[in-house]
Amino acid sequence: MKNSLYRKILLFFVIANFVLLMIIAYKMGIFSEVNVRSTVKIIISIINNSYFCSIFCSILAVIIIYYAQICYSKGMLKKDFRCNEILHDICFGIEEYNKIRDKIPQGKIERNDENTFIFYEFYNENKGKIDIINLSMTYKNNNMLIESIESCFFINLNFKLLNIINNVKNRIPNLLEKYPEIDRLYKECIPTPDKEKIIKLDCRLSDYFTDLKFMVEYWSCLLEYLEFDYIFIKKFHERYHANCNIKDEPKHSIEDYIRSANQAYRMAKKDIRRDKWKHFWDR
């Protein structure tokens, strides 16, 4: 809420400063006909310089190729069946995490009679969801996605993507090493609850949830970079299944499928636009 307020205030000051600068520039005569003509002459003389043009065009060509390759790689990566499947699974795990995120105990807990095992109690209540989340974050097929990204993109030049990939790689071993021990300790505590084992499990869970939080953030950054719009996909499926009766699918022709898909696509886009305008000032 505070970040949203700060952004609104910052946006107001930026607009106000821009308007004031335009007024000052107008009063000083910067936009006069003489100044405009002299500026145009300088620009034309620079453009007519063959040495400058060759260097400028070379730089511009490299920039265009770089960004065109990024856009093309994003599109083709999302079209690949296996990569798309992995992205869906990761999104599902993030969605499940967001459902329990606000309930996860925070920080290091001091041991006393009132809150001795809050991490253990939370894990005991949500173990099924946490198993799914951990699997989606660390599944071995996720390496296929990472390797595909490293192959498709200019990873040695794209430092933003390199940072995201390195963060993901750095956090995966933590989850892979910690969770089997957590699962083992939990199974040992079920038949014969032992206070020492539960305390040990509680400590492990405290560190594990910190790693899980960062892992979800890193995967979310990667999905955002790839422009993988999971919200739109969910909206599309909701609209498609709402308009097309699954029981009657064998009776539909290919034209009916295409018509229903196009209609669902338009309605999903409309829902996304409406939500964006509705929550524009909440960002």
Side-chain angles (χ1 to χ4, degrees):
M1 197 68 181
K2 288 182 178 179
N3 290 336
S4 177
L5 179 61
Y6 292 152
R7 288 175 184 174
K8 293 175 185 177
I9 295 171
L10 181 62
L11 179 62
F12 171 77
F13 278 110
V14 168
I15 294 172
N17 286 333
F18 178 77
V19 173
L20 288 172
L21 287 172
M22 290 297 102
I23 293 172
I24 292 170
Y26 177 77
K27 291 292 184 181
M28 293 177 65
I30 293 174
F31 299 127
S32 65
E33 186 177 350
V34 176
N35 287 333
V36 171
R37 284 182 178 178
S38 61
T39 303
V40 171
K41 287 180 180 179
I42 293 171
I43 294 171
I44 291 173
S45 64
I46 292 172
I47 293 173
N48 289 333
N49 188 311
S50 59
Y51 179 72
F52 169 80
C53 284
S54 61
I55 294 175
F56 177 77
C57 290
S58 299
I59 295 172
L60 186 62
V62 171
I63 293 172
I64 292 172
I65 292 170
Y66 175 76
Y67 284 103
Q69 190 270 343
I70 288 176
C71 293
Y72 179 77
S73 296
K74 287 180 181 180
M76 296 307 294
L77 193 76
K78 288 181 286 188
K79 287 181 180 179
D80 181 79
F81 178 78
R82 293 303 172 192
C83 288
N84 191 275
E85 187 179 44
I86 295 167
L87 289 169
H88 272 86
D89 292 340
I90 293 170
C91 284
F92 179 74
I94 293 172
E95 189 178 26
E96 290 298 306
Y97 176 82
N98 289 334
K99 292 178 182 178
I100 63 171
R101 178 181 56 191
D102 296 334
K103 301 176 184 178
I104 299 175
Q106 301 295 322
K108 298 290 184 180
I109 304 300
E110 296 182 2
R111 304 294 167 189
N112 55 49
D113 293 337
E114 295 180 358
N115 57 15
T116 305
F117 309 127
I118 62 170
F119 284 101
Y120 169 76
E121 291 171 359
F122 173 80
Y123 179 74
N124 188 44
E125 293 174 1
N126 299 276
K127 186 180 186 305
K129 288 185 178 180
I130 296 171
D131 286 343
I132 294 172
I133 295 167
N134 185 80
L135 181 63
S136 65
M137 296 292 106
T138 61
Y139 191 53
K140 60 182 180 180
N141 276 6
N142 293 0
N143 293 329
M144 186 190 301
L145 175 65
I146 294 174
E147 290 170 2
S148 299
I149 290 171
E150 291 175 334
S151 300
C152 293
F153 293 87
F154 293 134
I155 198 73
N156 293 328
L157 299 176
N158 194 333
F159 295 105
K160 180 180 179 181
L161 181 58
L162 180 65
N163 178 256
I164 296 171
I165 293 296
N166 285 341
N167 285 334
V168 172
K169 285 182 175 180
N170 179 65
R171 196 65 59 168
I172 285 177
N174 292 1
L175 298 183
L176 287 173
E177 292 170 7
K178 290 178 181 179
Y179 201 71
E181 184 183 3
I182 288 170
D183 191 54
R184 178 181 60 79
L185 288 171
Y186 177 77
K187 289 176 180 177
E188 290 177 0
C189 293
I190 292 175
T192 54
D194 182 87
K195 188 173 182 180
E196 291 184 3
K197 288 183 179 180
I198 293 177
I199 291 174
K200 185 178 179 181
L201 175 59
D202 210 54
C203 292
R204 296 289 187 277
L205 286 168
S206 175
D207 295 334
Y208 170 78
F209 284 129
T210 301
D211 286 325
L212 185 62
K213 173 188 174 184
F214 283 112
M215 177 57 86
V216 170
E217 289 178 2
Y218 297 149
W219 278 122
S220 298
C221 288
L222 182 60
L223 294 174
E224 184 179 352
Y225 178 84
L226 295 174
E227 299 174 4
F228 187 77
D229 196 349
Y230 186 66
I231 297 175
F232 169 76
I233 293 170
K234 283 185 64 180
K235 292 278 187 184
F236 173 81
H237 284 294
E238 289 173 4
R239 287 294 188 178
Y240 180 81
H241 290 299
N243 296 334
C244 185
N245 192 343
I246 298 175
K247 294 180 179 179
D248 297 334
E249 279 193 355
K251 301 178 183 178
H252 295 321
S253 62
I254 296 175
E255 290 76 12
D256 292 332
Y257 287 128
I258 295 173
R259 193 181 303 109
S260 298
N262 290 336
Q263 185 180 3
Y265 179 87
R266 289 193 297 271
M267 295 178 74
K269 283 287 187 182
K270 186 177 180 181
D271 291 340
I272 295 294
R273 285 196 299 269
R274 184 174 60 248
D275 291 341
K276 284 183 178 179
W277 281 110
K278 186 177 179 180
H279 301 288
F280 178 78
W281 291 107
D282 297 334
R283 298 177 183 176

